Structures are given as structure tokens and as C-alpha cells.
Amino acid sequence: MLSRVAENLYWSARNLERAENTARLVNVNAHLLLDLPKGIAPGWAPLIAITGGEDLYHELYAEHDERSVVRFLVADRRNPGSILSSLAAARENARTIRDVMPREVWEAINELHLDAKADEQAGLSKRGRHTYLTGVIRGAQSISGMVMGTMNHNAGYEFMRIGRLLERADMTTRIVDVRSANLLPEETSGLRPFENIQWMSVLKSLTAYQMYRQKMQVRVRRVDTLRFLIQDDEFPRSLYRCIVQLGRGLARLPRNEAPRRALGRLQRSVPGADMAALSQVGLHEFIDQLQVGLAALHDEISRTYFLVQSRAEQRQAS
């Protein structure tokens, strides 16, 4: 397989996953603001922190008001992480290599992009936002299911799966880090009843609330939520589950020694971490280490599989 094809498959899946995750974040935040008292409601600024777009946002917008943040995350083409930008990138990735994926998958990606673009104004309005974002989420999940059920489970399929899992793991760590720090300040001890709502919103941002209740069988609490989202070996969006599945995908690819070494460092650090012993500062430092590890894994995958062709072309040119 050409490195260009592998890279486009990888990024097509990452961009689809990014669009789905961003849609879920915006949707959940709107509902959260209705549940918390106005004085401690987090507002919209944490969503920019979660997606890592603070610097660009500050260049483009003056305030973190609802209208500006929603536009930035949903439809601003200047933001490469917005829903429309992510879907456009996924479509372009797929367009250039559509002969290696089922025709139905390419058509579904193209249709999702066109529908999201055509209904952009509905996504920006309060009345139409929920339906719009739900459509993006269901469309992305439908494509993931279509890939799993119709594409040959060969190297191309593994690159798509690895891209989706790496993006998912990254978003899980970002949501836990920012949401746990910003939703309810520790000094508001008189408002502890709202802590339950805080952690419910963390779970709902990852569509994890019902599965948490089924698996943990306890009320929503900080330590149990952290264990479920970071260390659970069954929930599809938990960090550890993503890491395990990444290992299985890499095992099916050639020349996987360097990526698997990078992944091994993550695999050793996650299961044994004591969530109950981590203060908020300790949790932030722990998640920082995990995000560095995920970035290192992406770099190794890129160096191993995606830069081969460009290096060969450089040698030929010289």
C-alpha cells in the first residue's frame, strides 16, 4: 500500500471522529447550562480549551459568548477543527483514494459533508442546533459501522481504525482534563450537590452515562467516573480500551516496532494509576503525560508509514 493511501485513510477516519466528537461536545454543553445555577455554570469557554483552539479563537473572536463559540466549533472554515472543516477534510481524504474503499462508504462521507454544509444555518441556531448535531453524530457513526461491515479487514482498514481510535483516545483525555477542572470549582463547597451534574456531563460528553451506570452500579462520582473513562477495558471510548484496540491494529501492520514501543509506554502507565489518590493537579499532570504519549504515538505512526514515500521522492530528486 502506498504511504499516501495509508495516510489519507488514517486522516479520513480521524477527521470523521473529530466532527462527531465536536458535535457531541456542543450538544451536551447546551443541556448542561440549563442544569447548573447561573453563577457556577461553565459557559462556553471550556469547549475551546477541550478542542485545543484557544490561540486561533482569540485571534478571531473577542468574547467567549455562545454565538461565537458555536460558530467557531460548528461552521468556521478558518478553524481546521470545526465540524464543517473536519467533514470537508474527511471528504477530501476519501475522494483521493475512493477506489480503495467501498463505494457506499465514499458516498456516505460525501453525503454527510454536503448535508452538513447545506444545513449550516440550522446548526448555528438554537432551534435547529440539536437536530443538526444529532445528524452529524449519527452520520459519522453510520459511516464507522459501514466501514466495519463492508470493507476488507486489511491494512487499509487498520489504518482507518487506528486513526479513529487515536482521535477518540485524545478527545477522551481532553474532556476529562478540562471538564473536571472547570465545571465546578473546589472552593464552592456549599454547592456539592451539583457535583453529580458535573460528572454526569463528563460522561454524557462521551455518550458514556448509561454504560457507566450499567457497569459501575453506583451513583456518579469523581473517582468511579475517572476509572470508567480512563481504565475500563470494555467501554469503547475509555482510554484503556482504545489503547488495547490500537495495539491489536498495529500488530497487523508491517514494520510496527517503533509505534508499538510508543504504545507500550501508554499501556504500562494507564492500568496501574490510582485514580483515588490523584488530586486535581495530579490528575492534570497525569493526563498531560497521556496526551504527550498519544502525540508520540501519532509521530511514530507518521514516521513509520506516512513519510516513506516523501523520503523516497527526496532521494530520487537528489
Side-chain angles (χ1 to χ4, degrees):
M1 174 176 289
L2 293 174
S3 61
R4 174 185 58 83
V5 174
E7 186 172 14
N8 280 330
L9 288 166
Y10 171 88
W11 278 111
S12 179
R14 281 203 75 156
N15 282 311
L16 279 171
E17 182 71 22
R18 186 170 299 172
E20 178 188 340
N21 290 336
T22 303
R24 186 179 290 106
L25 273 177
V26 176
N27 223 6
V28 170
N29 200 68
H31 294 294
L32 173 66
L33 298 184
L34 299 176
D35 293 333
L36 288 174
K38 186 175 182 180
I40 64 168
W44 291 90
L47 271 64
I48 305 300
I50 288 172
T51 57
E54 297 101 323
D55 292 341
L56 178 59
Y57 185 87
H58 292 149
E59 292 178 13
L60 301 175
Y61 299 93
E63 302 291 337
H64 287 90
D65 58 284
E66 178 178 355
R67 181 187 296 271
S68 298
V69 172
V70 170
R71 177 172 291 279
F72 181 74
L73 294 178
V74 172
D76 197 330
R77 273 75 166 181
R78 298 169 296 179
N79 172 20
S82 72
I83 291 173
L84 286 185
S85 293
S86 297
L87 291 177
R91 179 194 178 278
E92 184 60 20
N93 293 138
R95 184 189 65 81
T96 59
I97 44 94
R98 58 184 183 272
D99 56 322
V100 303
M101 61 174 56
R103 179 178 178 180
E104 292 80 5
V105 173
W106 153 247
E107 290 177 346
I109 294 173
N110 187 47
E111 182 178 355
L112 179 59
H113 168 253
L114 292 175
D115 288 347
K117 186 177 179 181
D119 295 337
E120 174 183 339
Q121 291 306 313
L124 296 175
S125 69
K126 288 187 177 182
R127 178 173 295 183
R129 187 187 304 159
H130 176 76
T131 300
Y132 177 87
L133 296 174
T134 301
V136 170
I137 295 167
R138 290 176 177 171
Q141 290 178 334
S142 175
I143 292 168
S144 295
M146 197 178 300
V147 169
M148 183 180 297
T150 65
M151 188 172 178
N152 289 336
H153 286 205
N154 53 16
Y157 171 82
E158 294 302 336
F159 279 113
M160 291 195 77
R161 192 161 74 109
I162 287 169
R164 182 173 67 250
L165 288 167
L166 197 49
E167 182 68 28
R168 183 176 294 178
D170 179 65
M171 182 57 79
T172 296
T173 60
R174 288 173 180 271
I175 288 174
V176 170
D177 188 23
V178 176
R179 284 299 198 194
S180 63
N182 290 347
L183 285 191
L184 192 58
E186 291 184 3
E187 61 267 18
T188 55
S189 56
L191 296 169
R192 299 327 301 173
F194 295 106
E195 183 180 32
N196 183 275
I197 297 174
Q198 171 189 0
W199 289 104
M200 283 176 62
S201 77
V202 174
L203 291 166
K204 289 179 179 179
S205 294
L206 294 161
T207 318
Y209 177 66
Q210 287 180 295
M211 293 300 98
Y212 169 92
R213 296 300 299 268
Q214 183 184 102
K215 177 72 179 287
M216 308 303 284
Q217 297 186 354
V218 294
R219 66 182 179 86
V220 179
R221 299 181 298 191
R222 178 183 187 273
V223 172
D224 294 308
T225 300
L226 292 175
R227 287 171 179 160
F228 184 71
L229 293 179
I230 293 177
Q231 298 175 314
D232 192 76
D233 60 355
E234 295 179 347
F235 180 61
R237 293 183 178 273
S238 79
L239 176 64
Y240 185 65
R241 176 71 178 182
C242 289
I243 290 173
V244 170
Q245 294 299 314
L246 279 165
R248 292 174 181 172
L250 288 172
R252 297 192 61 195
L253 297 178
R255 299 182 291 107
N256 58 21
E257 294 82 6
R260 292 184 76 179
R261 280 197 299 271
L263 181 64
R265 290 190 284 272
L266 282 169
Q267 290 174 323
R268 290 189 293 272
S269 64
V270 173
D274 186 354
M275 296 294 108
L278 290 177
S279 64
Q280 190 56 49
V281 173
L283 176 63
H284 178 71
E285 293 174 350
F286 175 64
I287 290 179
D288 271 354
Q289 294 173 2
L290 295 178
Q291 290 174 337
V292 169
L294 292 170
L297 175 57
H298 164 75
D299 290 344
E300 288 296 347
I301 291 172
S302 181
R303 276 193 290 267
T304 301
Y305 299 112
F306 305 153
L307 301 180
V308 176
Q309 183 170 308
S310 61
R311 288 197 295 265
E313 290 171 349
Q314 290 171 5
R315 285 195 297 269
Q316 290 175 2
S318 60

